Amino acid sequence: MEHKFQQIGKSVLIMHAEHDTDRPILAAVMGERRTLLMDAGNSPAHAELFREELSRRGHRQPEILVLTHWHWDHTFGMSEWNLPTVAHEKTASVLASLAGLDWSDECLEQLIEEGIISHESAADIRKEYGEERAITLMEPDILFKDSITVDLGGITCELIHVGGDHSEDSCFLYVKEERILFLGDALGPSVYGGPRKYSSTGFLGLLGLAYDYKADWYVESHSIPMNEEAFRADLSSWERLARIVDVFGQDRERVILEMKNYLKVDELTKDLMQGLEYFMAGTK
């Protein structure tokens, strides 16, 4: 498998997301005094690939880790880095509750039954780790409630709790001097504990918060970096769909009609129909 890396601005190197086993973007933010790592990766193997690339490029290894939320694909690589870790207090709470599990097939099935993970996540964990799942979860060292700022020397990073349907501990990471906004998975639907769903009002609130940054780069953890114009264009149809659902609620046929009229199409795309179902579930 080819692993893709990208320099964004002068101080940020990212490892692109890989969808085969749900590996999210990892990012190293390099200041004059220290380097910050955003998210740990979904396994030690995932983490090691990024560590090797940093070394190959002659970059300093990270000295501090920040987590955007607790989900396995963002945290299970923590033991490979073994760094002082900054996380929201709810992130720390969930990670503490999962510590000590053996992650066997029986364990995974129990977590699915309890709504803690999904069938899809369990399948990805099996694929990423195989039969030997020596997963060591580490508890964060520095906890915050609303936001926390980390000075790297000439580069300032702010981790902001935003919540949302995907995970109530979701955070944005803003690299101030570079005007780069890492969104984590905050704009995603819920994925655990039942059918995937979006609150249209909540989604619009988070989108508005993201737009308020007027960032040069917007980076979602399972997508590709986009400039502001591309990011707005990419989400414009979903934004309109959410606004229509905000007005018409559970009137599914009216929502579809309004979207068709707005887009001037006879049929909505598969992607938008999926989004419709998420928003419909979120209004219940």
Side-chain angles (χ1 to χ4, degrees):
M1 178 188 296
E2 181 183 0
H3 309 290
K4 293 184 179 181
F5 303 89
Q6 180 180 351
Q7 186 83 27
I8 303 177
K10 296 179 180 179
S11 65
V12 177
L13 179 70
I14 70 164
M15 180 176 181
H16 278 267
E18 298 173 357
H19 305 298
D20 191 44
T21 58
D22 205 29
R23 290 178 169 180
I25 280 177
L26 303 183
V29 185
M30 294 165 277
E32 295 170 0
R33 296 195 306 273
R34 58 183 65 88
T35 295
L36 175 146
L37 174 70
M38 184 206 72
D39 284 336
N42 76 351
S43 68
H46 183 201
E48 180 60 22
L49 287 168
F50 195 38
R51 184 196 297 282
E52 289 173 354
E53 184 66 16
L54 289 168
S55 294
R56 190 185 72 79
R57 292 176 181 239
H59 294 319
R60 183 175 54 218
Q61 291 293 324
E63 290 105 344
I64 189 167
L65 166 66
V66 301
L67 300 175
T68 59
H69 60 300
W70 74 265
H71 288 179
W72 80 277
D73 49 319
H74 299 257
T75 60
F76 277 21
M78 288 176 69
S79 62
E80 176 65 26
W81 298 104
N82 194 25
L83 294 172
T85 301
V86 180
H88 189 263
E89 57 189 18
K90 291 181 179 177
T91 303
S93 177
V94 177
L95 290 176
S97 73
L98 298 176
L101 299 181
D102 64 13
W103 301 100
S104 63
D105 286 345
E106 293 77 13
C107 174
L108 292 175
E109 290 303 318
Q110 181 64 34
L111 292 173
I112 293 169
E113 186 175 326
E114 294 173 3
I116 296 172
I117 65 171
S118 64
H119 286 283
E120 292 84 355
S121 288
D124 285 329
I125 290 170
R126 291 185 181 102
K127 194 170 185 180
E128 177 71 28
Y129 285 88
E131 296 300 319
E132 297 296 326
R133 298 178 207 134
I135 298 167
T136 302
L137 291 185
M138 303 177 69
E139 294 185 30
D141 304 278
I142 302 167
L143 309 185
F144 71 97
K145 183 176 182 180
D146 298 317
S147 67
I148 190 169
T149 301
V150 181
D151 183 353
L152 304 176
I155 296 291
T156 309
C157 293
E158 186 177 16
L159 195 62
I160 310 102
H161 176 238
V162 296
D165 288 312
H166 187 77
S167 188
E168 63 178 356
D169 61 329
S170 284
C171 298
F172 288 170
L173 175 68
Y174 185 55
V175 184
K176 184 177 178 181
E177 289 77 9
E178 295 276 22
R179 300 177 61 83
I180 299 171
L181 183 65
F182 290 97
L183 301 149
D185 292 344
L187 293 181
S190 66
V191 292
Y192 299 152
R196 296 192 175 198
K197 63 182 180 180
Y198 266 137
S199 158
S200 55
T201 302
F203 173 77
L204 290 169
L206 285 174
L207 197 57
L209 181 61
Y211 288 157
D212 284 345
Y213 281 89
K214 301 187 183 305
D216 290 340
W217 288 97
Y218 286 85
V219 187
E220 292 190 273
S221 286
H222 295 275
S223 184
I224 59 173
M226 299 182 191
N227 63 28
E228 182 180 13
E229 182 181 5
F231 181 71
R232 286 179 176 269
D234 187 57
L235 288 174
S236 61
S237 293
W238 282 71
E239 181 180 4
R240 172 60 66 165
L241 178 61
R243 294 193 184 283
I244 293 172
V245 173
D246 248 14
V247 173
F248 296 106
Q250 280 286 305
D251 191 343
R252 190 176 186 277
E253 296 308 313
R254 181 63 184 273
V255 171
I256 292 174
L257 177 62
E258 293 290 335
M259 275 302 293
K260 286 180 178 179
N261 290 339
Y262 169 71
L263 295 171
K264 297 181 174 57
V265 297
D266 294 327
E267 299 294 335
L268 299 183
T269 64
K270 182 179 178 180
D271 180 59
L272 281 177
M273 287 302 296
Q274 184 180 63
L276 172 68
E277 298 308 324
Y278 293 166
F279 285 129
M280 288 290 101
T283 64
K284 294 178 181 177

